């Protein structure tokens, strides 16, 4: 596997992401568009296979890796992954690797209202983000309540989503290939 490259936000991309985050956090109403049914799952981990797990704010007790949909149809998946990592964790660096895996699954009914009428399935593209060590995370409070760094097997057991658990279980294989 070849890394997408070092994940370091700088220059125009960093400025655009920071502006978008400020606008999203502002008190002015933002017109909500339907989510695009193409997303990323980013397994954030250390070189010694500690995995970052996040507890969802809208579903306490549901733990997951970083996830998120494309903002627009032509957004590159790598850009989606980098944006979601920054938005949900505050992380601006690491080694981002496209695992070239895609999961096609039925969207849980509780979240279908976020998608256009009739959309029932999503395609999720899996990435890994390697950090040298576990570090403090700056959570997006609207999205997550708390985080934990766990050994990869424990992290897989904690995932509420089967596709997320499967991705975490694949981590040792992808680390061997890196």
């Amino acid at each position: 596997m070849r890394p997408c490259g070092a994940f370091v936000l700088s220059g125009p991309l960093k400025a655009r992401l920071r502006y978008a985050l400020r606008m999203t956090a502002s008190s002015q109403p933002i017109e909500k568009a339907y989510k695009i049914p193409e997303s990323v799952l980013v397994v954030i981990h250390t070189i010694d296979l500690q995995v970052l797990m996040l507890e969802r704010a809208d579903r306490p007790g549901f733990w997951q890796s970083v996830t998120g949909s494309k903002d627009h149809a032509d957004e590159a998946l790598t850009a989606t992954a980098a944006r979601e990592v920054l938005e949900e964790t505050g992380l601006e660096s690491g080694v981002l690797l496209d695992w070239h895996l895609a999961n096609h699954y039925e969207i849980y009914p509780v979240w279908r209202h976020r998608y256009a009428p009739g959309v029932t399935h999503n395609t999720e593209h899996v990435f890994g983000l390697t950090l040298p060590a576990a570090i403090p995370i700056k959570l997006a409070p609207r999205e997550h309540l708390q985080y934990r760094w766990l050994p990869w097997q424990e992290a897989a057991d904690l995932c509420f989503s089967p596709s997320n658990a499967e991705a975490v279980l694949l981590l040792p294989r992808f680390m061997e290939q890196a």
Side-chain angles (χ1 to χ4, degrees):
M1 288 280 134
R2 201 180 84 215
C4 301
F7 166 63
V8 179
L9 293 177
S10 62
L13 176 60
K14 183 175 182 178
R16 283 196 307 268
L17 286 173
R18 289 204 180 281
Y19 175 76
L21 289 171
R22 275 197 315 274
M23 295 309 293
T24 303
S26 76
S27 60
Q28 296 188 5
I30 296 174
E31 186 175 320
K32 183 70 173 157
Y34 290 120
K35 288 181 73 156
I36 296 170
E38 189 169 18
S39 65
V40 296
L41 167 69
V42 184
V43 178
I44 299 175
H45 61 90
T46 63
I47 55 176
D48 65 349
L49 303 180
Q50 297 289 310
V51 176
L52 177 66
M53 296 300 297
L54 308 168
E55 184 179 20
R56 292 185 66 102
D58 62 354
R59 289 285 186 261
F62 281 35
W63 290 82
Q64 66 180 43
S65 295
V66 167
T67 63
S69 296
K70 287 179 153 188
D71 268 356
H72 48 85
D74 61 346
E75 182 178 33
L77 291 169
T78 303
T80 303
R83 177 178 50 74
E84 290 294 338
V85 167
L86 178 63
E87 288 174 2
E88 295 186 26
T89 68
L91 292 173
E92 297 182 16
S93 64
V95 177
L96 185 64
L97 179 69
D98 185 342
W99 288 3
H100 299 285
L101 295 175
N103 300 308
H104 187 73
Y105 61 86
E106 186 173 357
I107 300 165
Y108 287 109
V110 70
W111 288 304
R112 282 198 194 145
H113 69 278
R114 298 175 176 176
Y115 298 85
V119 173
T120 60
H121 286 77
N122 184 68
T123 301
E124 173 185 77
H125 302 271
V126 183
F127 289 78
L129 179 69
T130 307
L131 301 174
I135 58 173
I137 299 301
K138 181 181 174 191
L139 293 176
R142 288 184 174 174
E143 293 198 47
H144 301 291
L145 299 175
Q146 61 180 320
Y147 71 91
R148 294 181 189 167
W149 286 100
L150 296 171
W152 64 277
Q153 299 99 327
E154 290 179 38
D157 288 342
L158 191 60
C159 294
F160 83 90
S161 160
S163 65
N164 195 162
E166 290 171 17
V168 172
L169 290 172
L170 289 172
L171 178 58
R173 183 174 74 168
F174 282 97
M175 288 298 291
E176 288 172 7
Q177 295 175 5

